[in-house]
Amino acid sequence: MIDPIILFFLLGLGAALLRSELRLPAVIYDFLSIVLLLSIGLKGGIELSKQPFGALLPQILAVTAMGFLLPLVAFPVLHRLGRFKRADSASIAAHYGSVSVGTYAVAVAYLGNRNIAFEEHLPLLLVVLEVPAILVGIVLARGFSRQMRWGEVTHEVFLGKGIVLLIGGLLIGWIAGPQGVASIEPLFFDLFKGVLALFLLEMGILTAAQVGSLRKYGLFLLGFGIAMPLFSAVVGVVLGWLLGLSVGGTAMLGILAASASYIAVPAAMRISVPEANPTLSLTAALGITFPFNVLVGIPLYYAFAVQAHSFFGG
Amino acid sequence: MIDPIILFFLLGLGAALLRSELRLPAVIYDFLSIVLLLSIGLKGGIELSKQPFGALLPQILAVTAMGFLLPLVAFPVLHRLGRFKRADSASIAAHYGSVSVGTYAVAVAYLGNRNIAFEEHLPLLLVVLEVPAILVGIVLARGFSRQMRWGEVTHEVFLGKGIVLLIGGLLIGWIAGPQGVASIEPLFFDLFKGVLALFLLEMGILTAAQVGSLRKYGLFLLGFGIAMPLFSAVVGVVLGWLLGLSVGGTAMLGILAASASYIAVPAAMRISVPEANPTLSLTAALGITFPFNVLVGIPLYYAFAVQAHSFFGG
Amino acid sequence: MIDPIILFFLLGLGAALLRSELRLPAVIYDFLSIVLLLSIGLKGGIELSKQPFGALLPQILAVTAMGFLLPLVAFPVLHRLGRFKRADSASIAAHYGSVSVGTYAVAVAYLGNRNIAFEEHLPLLLVVLEVPAILVGIVLARGFSRQMRWGEVTHEVFLGKGIVLLIGGLLIGWIAGPQGVASIEPLFFDLFKGVLALFLLEMGILTAAQVGSLRKYGLFLLGFGIAMPLFSAVVGVVLGWLLGLSVGGTAMLGILAASASYIAVPAAMRISVPEANPTLSLTAALGITFPFNVLVGIPLYYAFAVQAHSFFGG
Amino acid sequence: MVTHARKLLTIITEAALEGVLVRDIERLGAHGYTITDARGKGRRGVRSAGWDASSNIRIEILCDQETASEIAAHCRKKYYDNYAMTLFLVDVGVMRPEKF
Amino acid sequence: MVTHARKLLTIITEAALEGVLVRDIERLGAHGYTITDARGKGRRGVRSAGWDASSNIRIEILCDQETASEIAAHCRKKYYDNYAMTLFLVDVGVMRPEKF
Amino acid sequence: MVTHARKLLTIITEAALEGVLVRDIERLGAHGYTITDARGKGRRGVRSAGWDASSNIRIEILCDQETASEIAAHCRKKYYDNYAMTLFLVDVGVMRPEKF
Ligand SMILES: Nc1ncnc2c1ncn2[C@@H]1O[C@H](COP(=O)(O)O)[C@@H](O)[C@H]1O
Ligand SMILES: Nc1ncnc2c1ncn2[C@@H]1O[C@H](COP(=O)(O)O)[C@@H](O)[C@H]1O
Ligand SMILES: Nc1ncnc2c1ncn2[C@@H]1O[C@H](COP(=O)(O)O)[C@@H](O)[C@H]1O
Ligand code: NA
Ligand code: NA
Ligand code: NA
């Protein structure tokens, strides 16, 4: 059975490709993302309130390391093989090292539909994964120049809308706990999938807008946009297995690794690495990798996780 | 007992007539319509997934025929009796041949309150009724000129926001089926009447804005705006009875026939029949017929349906 | 246990003070206030439909008197002690004589969390309290000049968005009654706290924007912004006790008295007393009194009410 | 293309004034106006359009020199002192002079 | 600073025209355009932007005199009679003349 | 009505630049600015304002010739090459010259 939220994505994509005038107002898109980010944060925070934070530290460190590693793998591929300019390679690498909240949300729905449990603190790992790749991307583009205003960069990265809402939601969920949050559940949890459906409708429209540039940038980008998430998913799945996550959690870490940012990173790169062409990275992350992950990747990465657990043993 | 959604309409109307500064932001109105259109489509699609499509074909054809017929009746009345210009007559006729989703939604609430069942595939008939009148309107205004860019017209008509969302919702509901859609029900079904209430609040405000022009265009338009839906309702009710619909379904078809479009048709006419004065048709459809249908018509047309069924026999 | 909605307020405040780019689009803020105002009105109206209106008349009159009295107390303090200009003193006094719907909503959540009942017709008293202070403020600034266009003022006051929605909600709830409103409860009641949470997120951001001016206008304003609500709360609590309200209702009247308007009054003052500096009154009402009431005041005023009832006897 | 000289008067001010200002403008002889929502900064500080109270509007009025002067003078007298307000005039060419 | 003289053509019209107008403009040789949402009043009455049908847009086109004339003439011929539409031209200075 | 000659510098650029640009503008001596949201098309393609990444803003700065030149030069140097950006200058008349 195909999840209706995927159908909403296809509806948006199809309508836009047929040049329908359908669009969601930008402020509504904004509003829907705010609700999604807070929901995900709250969910994670509630779970954090139930377990000792210390126990998560190893996972946090390991995932941070992965966040530093992935863009370092992607960069030479883009720069050498793809012959992209240094700045462009760095920026694209940063997008792929970071994560996509939309993809995560679709994965939550996917596992939820199949009653596959996963560690509820994954939103925390999502937050953790947002940041390192951005720093790596900046350093790859600029070097460790003294001219870099690191204060500004840190501000840009940690106080961007996405991270503030995720961390804010986490903290609120953590402090208020399950009972506290109960009163706001009808908005943030019961409507979650409906909100996600509308969000994906607009994502489909935005994805269609990248198709034009896709043709322009050619096959290498297309290949990269599919191969890179596959590679990252394997890394994420293996790491998840090593960390002792459940099958669901392992799949989730694979999905996070495979996803490419199109909110936090584009904004940060635009300011910190201005000479990188944003069309290039958005075409890859939004035009190729997002639909690939949503339509094909998520079930695939879940299969990876099942394999890993049955092969290596739970 | 008066339905609160009607009271929301009256609140908007009253506030605007008293020149209160109350208005809903345009993007919110947009958002509410998107949710309503998708909800209605989804509801219909779920039902379609339960029954063979072929069985509906006769109804679809008959209703399409009605969609072609009604504007052909309205046109000479407007042109000859009302002495409206050709383009204006054609445009108004197209509005009345097509349907109003807002009116449909109010009717759903009305029948729902009274636990009156109706065929759940009515949203499909709603979609079917949107289109023919637009084509008739264009031909009435332009003739079958070779200059008409029919490609453009078709694009305009079938890819307008309203139809894309209705058909999109239908398809999603159809493919995903009742279980699939369950996860998005809290947004699209549970909130339906609340969203409709806010939508009608703004409809009241928009209706009030037509009252000025109402005074200008005089009695004929007022008479037409009431007589035409009465006539159409009778046609719709008789057709519903002939098609063997239930009492509720018969009433619904009467209501659809009686309603006048103020979303899809105005947009299409503005581009395809530019010389038609949009104030004229909006005054009639939105300033007269919409409130008439919502306040008086719906119960009346339901009574027609009851009569038809008890007179001719179920 | 701290209520999560307060945490949302603190999140907005903190993010804005750290100069995060997080903001809610203005139209979304608008939309959330519309829903809140209607919800509060509907709740009150439903309750009105259950009891004879006449019985409430004494309370309405007493509360109206309080609405006239409070700004008359505030004005000389501001003008003499604070050395504010006449217009500024009048305007600030009007803000404090009127009420804040946001504060009321937080109080509803506070009492709800603790299962403390209060008279359900309090939204009616809220509406009643909105108006008198505005009139007093205008007269204090202008005198009873014949030049005043009282027609315009009345229009401004009674047809402002806030009052229309509150009164509209009241009337709809009253006419439709509990069964009628049931169908729109999922939007207006179930989502209430979630909507309030998002609303408070933006209130936090708006509050932070006042901090700059706070520094400029100094200590007197800070002191007034805390002392005045404390004084008003005592007046409100005593009045509530005199009127025979329950402990919850008494606390609520104290909270209403203590709250300072930042929607209806600023709009009215801007037009009717243009020479008053709006930064001054917003700094006090939004930058000082709102956070004070939300974080400290509400529990305190509730304690006042408990004291009053146990001291004087229920 | 023949164009006729007219004035474009632009007023940037608080959103709260929209209603009264529009009435004033029409009374003073303008045949039309165009409004867009705006935010900004000036001598009265930042107006960031986060909510009604801090929103600006930008009103454009195409008219003849005389009407422009009158509207500008009126705004100056009635609103300058108490409201955030900025005005400026530009020379423009229009095609249908009778309209403005 | 050296600036080069160009024209700024501003078209205020119904939002429904956005799609077709943009195509026309590009076909007639403009290298770019900027659109903002607007509301207003003119000979066709108040257009208050409460919903799609009453919304305006404000299109600005930086171009040379010739292109401006052509676009203006085209709009006049094709849209003036049937749509709410206002046009005006302003002399502007730009820094990179090759762009427009 | 006596008006004084000033310049209106209009910058159309990516919404992502709003924060830094506003700081630059103030540092370079402008006393105020007005911002509206926009969409458009230029050499960097269509920017349709469907979401943050494709949104434009339109910044207007009333100032004297010198400040306008400085801001324009600064923008040219710092942003032109890497951002969607269009600038133009118009001669305007203002009533209170001391303000700008
Ligand atoms: N120098 C300027 N350039 C452009 N816009 C300005 C300027 N000064 C003020 N404004 C606009 O006019 C509004 C009111 O200005 P003011 O009365 O100076 O506070 C501000 O909020 C800005 O939007
Ligand atoms: N004199 C004017 N000054 C500024 N804008 C105008 C003027 N006349 C018309 N407009 C704008 O142009 C639109 C269409 O004008 P019209 O074709 O006259 O109805 C109006 O809705 C206004 O937004
Ligand atoms: N010829 C033009 N006329 C009006 N606006 C333009 C023009 N060219 C570019 N723009 C605007 O400036 C933005 C940036 O331009 P560009 O740097 O050429 O991509 C575009 O997105 C448009 O909004
Ligand atoms: Na990734
Ligand atoms: Na009809
Ligand atoms: Na008060």
Side-chain angles (χ1 to χ4, degrees):
Chain A
M1 187 199 62
I2 184 157
D3 195 315
I5 59 172
I6 303 294
L7 297 171
F8 277 86
F9 176 74
L10 294 174
L11 174 59
L13 187 68
L17 289 178
L18 292 168
R19 288 185 300 113
S20 158
E21 43 149 301
L22 173 67
R23 350 170 206 163
L24 225 61
V27 292
I28 298 298
Y29 177 76
D30 231 35
F31 178 52
L32 298 175
S33 1
I34 290 171
V35 173
L36 285 184
L37 288 162
L38 285 170
S39 298
I40 291 172
L42 285 168
K43 268 251 172 67
I46 291 176
E47 196 59 24
L48 286 183
S49 73
K50 296 189 202 153
Q51 52 186 280
F53 185 77
L56 301 175
L57 215 60
Q59 291 189 19
I60 291 175
L61 291 176
V63 161
T64 308
M66 183 175 79
F68 279 109
L69 176 84
L70 289 176
L72 289 174
V73 174
F75 178 74
V77 175
L78 290 156
H79 196 37
R80 300 273 151 79
L81 253 73
R83 306 195 165 280
F84 286 113
K85 285 191 306 176
R86 182 175 193 87
D88 286 328
S89 308
S91 168
I92 302 176
H95 283 71
Y96 279 82
S98 185
V99 288
S100 144
V101 173
T103 311
Y104 175 83
V106 175
V108 169
Y110 178 85
L111 297 184
N113 282 346
R114 283 154 190 78
N115 291 311
I116 302 160
F118 59 90
E119 284 72 10
E120 288 274 3
H121 63 267
L122 265 147
L124 181 65
L125 302 184
L126 185 156
V127 173
V128 166
L129 264 175
E130 290 259 9
V131 174
I134 302 181
L135 303 176
V136 173
I138 295 174
V139 170
L140 283 173
R142 297 238 162 296
F144 278 105
S145 111
R146 252 164 250 157
Q147 280 194 297
M148 273 304 297
R149 311 217 195 94
W150 284 103
E152 255 179 44
V153 169
T154 316
H155 188 273
E156 187 66 32
V157 170
F158 284 97
L159 290 169
K161 179 158 62 180
I163 303 220
V164 165
L165 287 168
L166 278 174
I167 296 186
L170 268 174
L171 289 175
I172 293 175
W174 196 6
I175 299 173
Q179 285 94 41
V181 170
S183 64
I184 56 176
E185 277 184 12
L187 177 58
F188 290 104
F189 297 167
D190 298 354
L191 296 189
F192 182 78
K193 293 244 346 223
V195 168
L196 182 57
L198 292 172
F199 179 82
L200 287 172
L201 182 70
E202 177 68 16
M203 287 300 301
I205 297 171
L206 293 177
T207 296
Q210 314 299 325
V211 170
S213 15
L214 189 55
R215 224 169 296 142
K216 193 161 135 206
Y217 293 116
L219 271 182
F220 182 82
L221 208 58
L222 184 69
F224 180 82
I226 292 175
M228 183 69 203
L230 286 171
F231 167 77
S232 302
V234 172
V235 174
V237 162
V238 169
L239 182 62
W241 179 81
L242 287 174
L243 291 171
L245 295 182
S246 66
V247 175
T250 304
M252 268 300 189
L253 197 57
I255 291 162
L256 283 180
S259 73
S261 170
Y262 49 82
I263 299 181
V265 182
M269 287 297 124
R270 205 72 200 95
I271 295 297
S272 303
V273 188
E275 64 275 31
N277 179 354
T279 315
L280 223 48
S281 38
L282 280 179
T283 302
L286 194 52
I288 305 166
T289 303
F290 182 76
F292 175 74
N293 278 337
V294 159
L295 300 175
V296 181
I298 290 176
L300 196 64
Y301 311 149
Y302 174 64
F304 287 2
V306 173
Q307 285 298 100
H309 276 256
S310 69
F311 193 76
F312 302 120
Chain B
M1 188 198 64
I2 183 158
D3 195 314
I5 59 172
I6 303 295
L7 296 172
F8 277 86
F9 177 72
L10 294 174
L11 173 59
L13 187 68
L17 289 177
L18 291 168
R19 287 185 300 115
S20 158
E21 41 149 303
L22 174 66
R23 353 171 205 164
L24 226 59
V27 292
I28 298 298
Y29 177 76
D30 231 34
F31 178 52
L32 298 174
S33 358
I34 290 172
V35 173
L36 285 183
L37 289 161
L38 285 170
S39 298
I40 291 172
L42 284 168
K43 268 251 172 64
I46 291 175
E47 197 59 24
L48 285 183
S49 73
K50 296 189 202 153
Q51 52 185 279
F53 185 77
L56 301 175
L57 215 61
Q59 292 188 20
I60 291 175
L61 291 175
V63 162
T64 307
M66 182 175 79
F68 280 109
L69 175 84
L70 288 177
L72 289 174
V73 174
F75 178 74
V77 176
L78 291 156
H79 195 39
R80 300 273 151 77
L81 252 74
R83 305 194 164 281
F84 286 113
K85 285 191 306 178
R86 182 174 192 87
D88 286 327
S89 307
S91 168
I92 303 176
H95 284 72
Y96 279 83
S98 185
V99 286
S100 144
V101 172
T103 312
Y104 175 81
V106 174
V108 168
Y110 177 85
L111 296 184
N113 283 346
R114 282 156 192 77
N115 292 312
I116 302 159
F118 58 92
E119 283 73 10
E120 288 275 4
H121 63 267
L122 265 147
L124 181 66
L125 302 184
L126 185 156
V127 173
V128 165
L129 264 175
E130 291 258 10
V131 173
I134 302 181
L135 304 176
V136 173
I138 295 174
V139 170
L140 283 172
R142 298 237 161 296
F144 278 104
S145 110
R146 252 164 249 157
Q147 281 195 297
M148 273 305 296
R149 312 217 193 93
W150 283 103
E152 257 180 42
V153 168
T154 315
H155 188 272
E156 187 67 32
V157 169
F158 284 97
L159 289 169
K161 179 158 61 181
I163 303 219
V164 166
L165 288 169
L166 278 174
I167 296 186
L170 269 174
L171 289 176
I172 293 175
W174 196 8
I175 298 172
Q179 285 94 40
V181 170
S183 64
I184 55 174
E185 277 184 11
L187 177 57
F188 290 104
F189 296 168
D190 299 354
L191 296 189
F192 183 77
K193 294 242 348 220
V195 168
L196 181 58
L198 291 172
F199 179 83
L200 288 172
L201 182 69
E202 178 67 16
M203 288 299 300
I205 297 171
L206 294 176
T207 297
Q210 315 299 326
V211 170
S213 15
L214 188 55
R215 224 169 293 140
K216 194 159 135 207
Y217 294 113
L219 272 181
F220 182 82
L221 206 59
L222 184 69
F224 180 83
I226 292 174
M228 184 69 203
L230 286 171
F231 167 78
S232 302
V234 172
V235 175
V237 161
V238 169
L239 182 62
W241 179 82
L242 287 173
L243 291 171
L245 296 182
S246 66
V247 176
T250 305
M252 268 299 189
L253 197 57
I255 291 162
L256 282 180
S259 74
S261 170
Y262 49 81
I263 299 182
V265 182
M269 287 296 125
R270 204 72 200 96
I271 295 297
S272 304
V273 188
E275 65 275 32
N277 179 355
T279 316
L280 223 48
S281 37
L282 279 180
T283 302
L286 192 52
I288 305 166
T289 304
F290 181 75
F292 175 74
N293 278 339
V294 159
L295 300 176
V296 182
I298 290 175
L300 196 64
Y301 310 150
Y302 175 63
F304 287 3
V306 172
Q307 286 299 102
H309 276 256
S310 69
F311 193 75
F312 303 120
Chain C
M1 188 198 63
I2 185 159
D3 194 316
I5 59 172
I6 303 295
L7 297 171
F8 277 87
F9 177 73
L10 293 174
L11 174 58
L13 188 66
L17 289 178
L18 291 169
R19 287 183 302 113
S20 158
E21 43 149 301
L22 173 67
R23 351 171 206 163
L24 226 60
V27 291
I28 297 298
Y29 178 75
D30 231 35
F31 178 52
L32 297 174
S33 0
I34 290 172
V35 173
L36 284 184
L37 289 161
L38 285 170
S39 297
I40 292 172
L42 284 168
K43 268 252 171 67
I46 291 175
E47 197 59 23
L48 285 183
S49 74
K50 297 187 201 155
Q51 53 186 277
F53 186 78
L56 301 174
L57 216 61
Q59 291 188 20
I60 290 174
L61 291 176
V63 162
T64 308
M66 183 176 78
F68 280 110
L69 176 82
L70 289 177
L72 289 175
V73 173
F75 178 74
V77 175
L78 290 156
H79 195 38
R80 300 274 151 78
L81 252 72
R83 304 193 164 284
F84 286 112
K85 285 192 304 178
R86 183 176 192 87
D88 286 327
S89 308
S91 168
I92 303 175
H95 283 72
Y96 280 82
S98 186
V99 287
S100 143
V101 173
T103 312
Y104 175 82
V106 175
V108 168
Y110 178 86
L111 296 183
N113 282 345
R114 283 156 191 77
N115 292 312
I116 303 159
F118 58 91
E119 282 74 9
E120 289 273 4
H121 63 267
L122 266 147
L124 182 65
L125 302 185
L126 186 157
V127 174
V128 166
L129 263 175
E130 289 259 10
V131 174
I134 301 180
L135 304 176
V136 173
I138 295 174
V139 170
L140 283 172
R142 298 239 161 294
F144 279 104
S145 110
R146 252 165 251 157
Q147 283 194 294
M148 273 305 296
R149 311 218 194 95
W150 284 103
E152 258 179 42
V153 169
T154 315
H155 187 273
E156 186 68 32
V157 169
F158 283 97
L159 290 170
K161 177 159 60 181
I163 304 219
V164 166
L165 287 168
L166 277 174
I167 296 186
L170 269 173
L171 289 175
I172 293 174
W174 196 7
I175 298 172
Q179 285 94 41
V181 170
S183 64
I184 55 175
E185 278 185 12
L187 177 58
F188 289 105
F189 297 168
D190 299 354
L191 296 190
F192 182 77
K193 293 241 351 220
V195 168
L196 182 57
L198 291 173
F199 179 82
L200 287 172
L201 182 70
E202 177 68 16
M203 288 299 300
I205 296 171
L206 294 177
T207 297
Q210 314 299 325
V211 170
S213 16
L214 189 56
R215 222 170 293 140
K216 192 160 133 206
Y217 294 115
L219 271 181
F220 182 83
L221 207 59
L222 183 69
F224 180 82
I226 293 175
M228 183 70 203
L230 286 171
F231 168 78
S232 301
V234 172
V235 174
V237 162
V238 170
L239 182 62
W241 179 80
L242 287 174
L243 291 171
L245 295 182
S246 66
V247 176
T250 304
M252 268 299 191
L253 198 57
I255 290 161
L256 282 180
S259 74
S261 169
Y262 49 82
I263 299 180
V265 182
M269 287 296 124
R270 203 72 200 98
I271 296 297
S272 305
V273 187
E275 64 275 31
N277 179 355
T279 316
L280 224 49
S281 38
L282 278 180
T283 303
L286 192 52
I288 305 166
T289 303
F290 181 76
F292 175 74
N293 278 339
V294 160
L295 300 176
V296 182
I298 290 175
L300 196 65
Y301 310 149
Y302 174 63
F304 287 3
V306 172
Q307 285 299 101
H309 275 255
S310 71
F311 193 76
F312 301 121
Chain D
M1 184 181 49
V2 186
T3 61
H4 305 260
R6 285 292 179 279
K7 294 283 174 186
L8 174 70
L9 173 64
T10 303
I11 308 173
I12 302 163
T13 190
E14 305 183 13
L17 282 186
E18 179 163 337
V20 288
L21 211 51
V22 155
R23 260 172 282 150
D24 291 353
I25 288 169
E26 295 202 76
R27 198 171 34 76
L28 293 170
H31 296 167
Y33 54 82
T34 296
I35 302 180
T36 46
D37 294 314
R39 53 192 179 281
K41 183 168 174 180
R43 88 211 124 113
R44 291 193 178 242
V46 176
R47 300 187 48 78
S48 60
W51 61 324
D52 283 1
S54 76
S55 296
N56 280 353
I57 50 172
R58 191 176 170 288
I59 311 184
E60 290 176 306
I61 306 148
L62 279 167
C63 52
D64 53 30
Q65 165 77 50
E66 206 178 327
T67 311
S69 297
E70 239 170 282
I71 296 176
H74 172 81
C75 285
R76 185 170 200 171
K77 209 179 99 204
K78 193 156 160 209
Y79 302 111
Y80 247 38
D81 293 338
N82 294 319
Y83 293 94
M85 180 173 276
T86 297
L87 285 101
F88 60 88
L89 267 178
V90 182
D91 291 314
V92 304
V94 299
M95 263 135 285
R96 293 182 303 176
E98 70 288 356
K99 193 177 152 182
F100 306 105
Chain E
M1 184 180 49
V2 186
T3 62
H4 305 260
R6 286 290 178 281
K7 292 284 174 187
L8 175 69
L9 172 65
T10 304
I11 308 173
I12 302 161
T13 190
E14 305 183 13
L17 282 185
E18 180 163 337
V20 287
L21 212 49
V22 156
R23 260 173 283 150
D24 291 354
I25 288 170
E26 295 202 75
R27 197 170 35 75
L28 294 170
H31 296 167
Y33 54 84
T34 297
I35 303 180
T36 45
D37 294 314
R39 53 192 178 280
K41 184 169 177 180
R43 86 212 124 114
R44 290 193 179 242
V46 175
R47 300 187 48 80
S48 59
W51 61 325
D52 282 1
S54 76
S55 295
N56 279 353
I57 50 171
R58 193 177 169 287
I59 311 185
E60 290 175 307
I61 306 149
L62 278 168
C63 52
D64 53 30
Q65 165 76 50
E66 207 179 325
T67 311
S69 296
E70 241 170 280
I71 297 176
H74 172 80
C75 286
R76 186 171 200 171
K77 209 179 98 206
K78 193 156 162 210
Y79 302 112
Y80 246 37
D81 292 338
N82 293 319
Y83 294 95
M85 181 174 276
T86 297
L87 284 101
F88 61 87
L89 267 177
V90 183
D91 291 315
V92 303
V94 300
M95 263 135 286
R96 293 182 303 175
E98 71 286 357
K99 193 177 152 184
F100 306 105
Chain F
M1 182 181 51
V2 187
T3 61
H4 306 260
R6 286 290 179 282
K7 293 283 173 186
L8 175 69
L9 172 65
T10 303
I11 307 173
I12 302 163
T13 190
E14 306 183 13
L17 282 186
E18 178 163 337
V20 287
L21 211 49
V22 155
R23 260 173 281 150
D24 291 354
I25 288 169
E26 294 201 76
R27 197 170 36 74
L28 293 170
H31 296 168
Y33 56 83
T34 296
I35 303 180
T36 45
D37 294 314
R39 53 191 177 280
K41 183 168 175 181
R43 87 212 124 113
R44 292 196 176 240
V46 175
R47 300 187 48 78
S48 61
W51 61 324
D52 284 1
S54 76
S55 296
N56 280 353
I57 50 171
R58 193 177 169 286
I59 311 184
E60 291 175 306
I61 306 148
L62 278 168
C63 52
D64 52 31
Q65 165 77 51
E66 205 179 329
T67 311
S69 297
E70 240 170 282
I71 297 176
H74 172 81
C75 285
R76 188 170 197 171
K77 208 179 97 204
K78 194 157 160 207
Y79 301 112
Y80 246 37
D81 292 338
N82 294 318
Y83 293 95
M85 180 174 277
T86 298
L87 284 101
F88 60 87
L89 267 177
V90 183
D91 292 313
V92 304
V94 299
M95 264 134 285
R96 293 181 305 176
E98 69 288 356
K99 194 178 152 184
F100 306 105

